[in-house]
Amino acid sequence: MSVQSTPSSVAPIRTLDKTGNVISTVGFQRFGFDCEVPLDVLRALYLRPHYVITAAPGQNGHSEIQEEETEHAKFTGAYGAYQSKSIFHPDTQSISYTTLSRFPPVKLLAPSLRKRILVTGGAGFVGSHLVDRLMVLGHEVTVLDNFFTGSKTTPFMIECDQIYHLACPASPPHYQFNAVKTIKTSFMGTLNMLGLAKRTKARFLITSTSEVYGDPEVHPQPEDYWGHVNPIGPRACYDEGKRVAETLTYGFHRQDGVDVRVARIFNTYGPRMNPYDGRVVSNFIVQALRGEDMTVYGDGKQTRSFQYIHDLVDGLIALMNSDETRPVNIGNGDEFQIGEFAELVREIVEKVQTEDGQPPERRVSIIHKPMPMDDPQKRRPDTTRAKEVLEWQPRWTVRMGLEEMVRYYKAKMIEGSL
């Protein structure tokens, strides 16, 4: 196996889960819904070609594919080989583009299995990964987005079987930029989508947030904890907006019989996360890749739990297709102090740079700045409900997810698009 990269060849990307097994697929077959997809199919949609594994011809003319041969065959057989959008040239450090690029082939589902799915906020970070998965699986997907933090996508469709309501800016700089618009989006957007679900009898899933717990006095946070939120602080437009959106959702459920699902998402990271959205993972990675000192707010003792995007998408799809109507935490219970997390990111960035033949000229420092107002001191989900009713738990280690995200941002920098 070989990997096209910078002038120095690197080893193939092998992703191990929390039990040490190789992750070759994401998704599952559960609740009558098959959402399992080869990881290579999704990875090729966001990792640039110089990180795509290719087979090198051996002495006998055959490709030297051993451990990954089966999964590669599944990938090219079940989904078909396809050409990437861009081609990386290591000798000139340049990217060329081809008009032959296309979305990977999708499954051909029987009409009885193919769902009409609306995803609001589908141009954003989480939404785009959810849309990729649902489209590759062969479903009819329509995206509704105002492009506030996303990018242009497909038109609106008014008839649907399932609605994933993700629309709302989720990072502090974005949702605080226009606090009134943020809370209006949470309330009016949810009201409109619940009205659509009521009319079409579609199942409705809203992506709520761990922010409904505020700066929690209970740790870890179970779904029956009511939270500790400042209703007039700078974060209230988002925190209280999501809390009232949940109230509205259950109002439609009790009053009008709308079939609802509520996912409380904890810190999530991965490729396509906006590098300038002010979130800790993207901040650390971009700063370290640029050789800039990494900024930690406060003393670095505050904690966060981080889940990788593919685990989150698995959780959302599982919840949507389950019979669970109560709120469900979807997050990773592996808790990090922010200061320790910064050190881990620095280590992984150095590892990727060295593997690509570009070791850093100096080790970046970790500096401290004042803590923002109302920033939670602890955040970790109690995911007992998700494990019991969805049979879901995170598979990706923080280290594996970070390494993939570092490669994504590094490739974007080489392209000149970051």
Side-chain angles (χ1 to χ4, degrees), residues 15-265:
T15 303
L16 306 180
D17 65 16
K18 292 188 173 187
T19 62
N21 295 316
V22 174
I23 298 178
S24 58
T25 64
V26 296
F28 52 85
Q29 299 183 39
R30 198 175 304 145
F31 307 123
F33 193 91
D34 178 5
C35 69
E36 190 170 20
V37 173
L39 177 58
D40 283 346
V41 171
L42 295 181
R43 183 174 269 159
L45 293 172
Y46 55 80
L47 274 188
R48 300 268 76 77
H50 54 302
Y51 283 124
V52 174
I53 300 172
T54 58
Q59 293 180 350
N60 59 2
H62 298 291
S63 297
E64 295 178 338
I65 304 177
Q66 297 175 0
E67 182 175 343
E68 289 85 355
E69 182 173 12
T70 302
E71 288 308 320
H72 182 75
K74 288 181 183 177
F75 169 42
T76 56
Y79 290 81
Y82 62 96
Q83 185 160 350
S84 180
K85 176 181 178 181
S86 57
I87 302 172
F88 178 71
H89 304 279
D91 53 339
T92 60
Q93 292 287 293
S94 62
I95 296 281
S96 63
Y97 295 88
T98 172
T99 57
L100 299 177
S101 65
R102 58 191 174 94
F103 194 84
V106 302
K107 286 185 177 180
L108 182 60
L109 293 178
S112 60
L113 297 176
R114 187 168 61 248
K115 294 186 179 296
R116 300 166 299 173
I117 302 175
L118 171 64
V119 181
T120 70
F125 161 49
V126 174
S128 67
H129 285 277
L130 175 63
V131 168
D132 280 350
R133 180 85 67 89
L134 295 172
M135 288 181 66
V136 165
L137 291 167
H139 299 286
E140 297 179 13
V141 181
T142 299
V143 171
L144 184 61
D145 201 296
N146 69 353
F147 318 137
F148 179 55
T149 61
S151 55
K152 190 173 182 180
T153 182
T154 51
F156 175 49
M157 179 179 66
I158 59 171
E159 297 297 331
C160 48
D161 303 306
Q162 296 181 345
I163 300 172
Y164 288 88
H165 181 43
L166 280 64
C168 189
S171 70
H174 288 148
Y175 67 64
Q176 292 177 18
F177 176 76
N178 188 332
V180 173
K181 183 175 182 178
T182 295
I183 198 163
K184 282 179 66 178
T185 298
S186 287
F187 182 79
M188 295 301 299
T190 304
L191 178 65
N192 291 335
M193 289 302 103
L194 282 164
L196 176 62
K198 176 183 175 181
R199 182 181 65 80
T200 61
K201 299 188 181 341
R203 181 171 292 179
F204 175 87
L205 182 150
I206 183 172
T207 53
S208 187
T209 171
S210 60
E211 297 292 341
V212 299
Y213 302 123
D215 189 2
E217 297 173 312
V218 173
H219 191 74
Q221 295 82 54
E223 289 88 350
D224 56 6
Y225 174 54
W226 290 356
H228 179 228
V229 177
N230 177 0
I232 60 172
R235 302 171 70 101
C237 59
Y238 182 68
D239 301 1
E240 297 288 24
K242 286 293 189 180
R243 285 162 69 94
V244 76
E246 286 194 16
T247 303
L248 192 61
T249 297
Y250 284 111
F252 270 77
H253 176 61
R254 297 187 185 100
Q255 182 173 317
D256 300 303
V258 176
D259 192 13
V260 303
R261 306 290 184 269
V262 175
R264 289 178 179 164
I265 300 175

Side-chain angles (χ1 to χ4, degrees), residues 358-377:
Q358 299 171 330
E361 296 180 359
R362 72 174 185 95
R363 164 159 269 209
V364 300
S365 299
I366 297 174
I367 61 176
H368 294 260
K369 290 188 177 181
M371 178 76 74
M373 182 178 177
D374 292 339
D375 194 58
Q377 289 299 302

